[in-house]
Amino acid sequence: MASDRMLAVYFDNPGGPENLYIKEVPKPIPGEGEVLLKVAVSALNRADLFQRQGQYHPPPGASSILGLEASGYVSELGPGCQGHWKIGDPAMALLPGGGQAQYVTVPEELLMSIPEGLTLHQAAAIPEVWLTSFQLLHLLGNVQAGETVLIHAGASAVGTAAIQLTRMAGAIPLVTAGSQKKLQMAEKLGAAAGFNYKEQDFCEATLKFTKGAGVNLILDCIGGSYWEKNVNCLALDGRWILYGLLGGEDVSGPLFSKLFYKRGSLITSRLRNRDKKYKQMLVKAFTEQILPHFSKDGPQRLLPVLDRVYPMAEIQAAHEYMQANRNVGKIVLELPQ
């Protein structure tokens, strides 16, 4: 393969996992203030599945290649780079796309150092989901010590990060999940209680746990099918953060009146299409406040949860595994070196 080419995960037409294949494409060239990262490991996110299905397009100007996070080594510095990065430095990156390829360009401010003691596989599991969880809890949810937080999909990658960050903030995490195995993992990470949504009403269980007060904060990636239970178990002046629509986008019923009488706030969020300035602010805050806890031993040490590692050539199997909701934590992809 020529030096100006690389391998990337690709699909020509939207559809199922069978449409994915590995394609030789041009290697990107870093622009002003950008770094070229040689990718060792990338990771899979729900957004990749939706993009492959034709339901979630990259932001304007972003790579159409899948992959919202990656770890690897600095390969080249573009013109105007003024940071501390040097060629060969290990790093991990938050991306709007392009991570599931051998090389990706990144604004230097969106690169993060890999915490001491973590592998490249663990590092690839941090940027998108941990920055999402940090944003939801702190920047949008304003979580406070002593509050109760209900985290849907508690065994997902975002869920496992949110449990740990909630505990670190001195708040009490409750989770929903669809199997005993997932609930056990969530409780191992620090969830105070877990509710199997397939076997019990999580709203009733949440109200029982909180002695009728309800939860102060809900992190919701489900949407439509959960709206009524969410608003019913929300505390007065509670905040409901919607960051996904896995359970549908339609609502039928008195959502506004129920929310109004609880003085509740409904806040929506997407990280991928945020502008560069916002992402720089988010990465800086996360790097200063959270990142050191990945390399510290002790009760507040943070750990990315890895479920499975797939070689890039098995990208179809990786998508099938996530689509079946079998993962507990993160699915990562090894790139050929």
Side-chain angles (χ1 to χ4, degrees), residues 16-18 20 44-46 49 52 155 179 181-182 305-310 314-333:
E18 68 278 1
L20 296 167
L44 203 58
N45 288 281
R46 286 277 167 190
L49 274 62
R52 184 249 300 157
S179 73
K181 176 188 173 186
K182 291 182 176 183
V305 178
L306 296 188
D307 183 297
R308 285 200 177 185
V309 179
Y310 285 91
E314 295 179 18
I315 185 64
Q316 293 183 2
H319 272 240
E320 289 167 357
Y321 185 69
M322 177 175 270
Q323 199 160 303
N325 294 322
R326 293 170 63 192
N327 58 300
V328 178
K330 203 73 179 166
I331 301 166
V332 297
L333 301 172

Side-chain angles (χ1 to χ4, degrees), residues 236-294:
L236 278 173
D237 299 310
R239 290 92 66 203
W240 170 9
I241 315 289
L242 180 67
Y243 70 99
L245 295 169
L246 295 175
E249 57 191 33
D250 295 328
V251 169
S252 177
L255 168 60
F256 291 133
S257 64
K258 284 175 175 282
L259 200 58
F260 178 73
Y261 286 116
K262 289 201 170 183
R263 301 193 302 265
S265 300
L266 175 57
I267 303 162
T268 65
S269 177
R270 291 167 65 195
L271 178 55
R272 187 181 190 183
N273 65 350
R274 295 274 191 177
D275 62 28
K276 180 180 170 184
K277 185 177 179 182
Y278 179 92
K279 289 180 179 178
Q280 288 174 358
M281 175 276 297
L282 180 64
V283 167
K284 184 174 186 292
F286 180 83
T287 299
E288 293 171 353
Q289 298 173 36
I290 306 299
L291 209 54
H293 291 277
F294 285 96

Side-chain angles (χ1 to χ4, degrees), residues 150-205:
L150 178 61
I151 302 163
H152 290 310
S156 67
V158 171
T160 58
I163 291 166
Q164 295 177 69
L165 290 177
T166 298
R167 277 290 181 199
M168 199 171 120
I172 302 161
L174 309 178
V175 302
T176 63
S179 73
Q180 194 58 35
K181 176 188 173 186
K182 291 182 176 183
L183 292 176
Q184 286 170 350
M185 169 58 79
E187 290 179 10
K188 184 178 176 183
L189 291 170
F195 315 123
N196 187 333
Y197 64 85
K198 294 179 180 178
E199 297 177 354
Q200 66 185 131
D201 185 323
F202 73 77
C203 175
E204 289 181 5

Side-chain angles (χ1 to χ4, degrees), residues 107-229:
E108 61 176 337
E109 301 91 347
L110 301 187
L111 276 182
M112 294 174 280
S113 297
I114 295 176
E116 187 178 348
L118 291 194
T119 66
L120 288 167
H121 292 78
Q122 290 173 311
I126 290 175
E128 173 69 18
V129 297
W130 284 83
L131 283 162
T132 293
S133 297
F134 175 68
Q135 175 195 225
L136 299 176
L137 284 165
H138 291 280
L139 277 66
L140 301 173
N142 192 28
V143 66
Q144 301 295 311
E147 290 190 323
T148 307
V149 182
L150 178 61
I151 302 163
H152 290 310
S156 67
V158 171
T160 58
I163 291 166
Q164 295 177 69
L165 290 177
T166 298
R167 277 290 181 199
M168 199 171 120
I172 302 161
L174 309 178
V175 302
T176 63
S179 73
Q180 194 58 35
K181 176 188 173 186
K182 291 182 176 183
L183 292 176
Q184 286 170 350
M185 169 58 79
E187 290 179 10
K188 184 178 176 183
L189 291 170
F195 315 123
N196 187 333
Y197 64 85
K198 294 179 180 178
E199 297 177 354
Q200 66 185 131
D201 185 323
F202 73 77
C203 175
E204 289 181 5
T206 298
L207 288 170
K208 183 177 179 182
F209 183 92
T210 58
K211 297 181 170 57
V215 292
N216 307 102
L217 183 59
I218 298 174
L219 304 189
D220 179 21
C221 57
I222 307 299
S225 62
Y226 276 12
W227 80 264
E228 191 163 21
K229 291 179 181 178

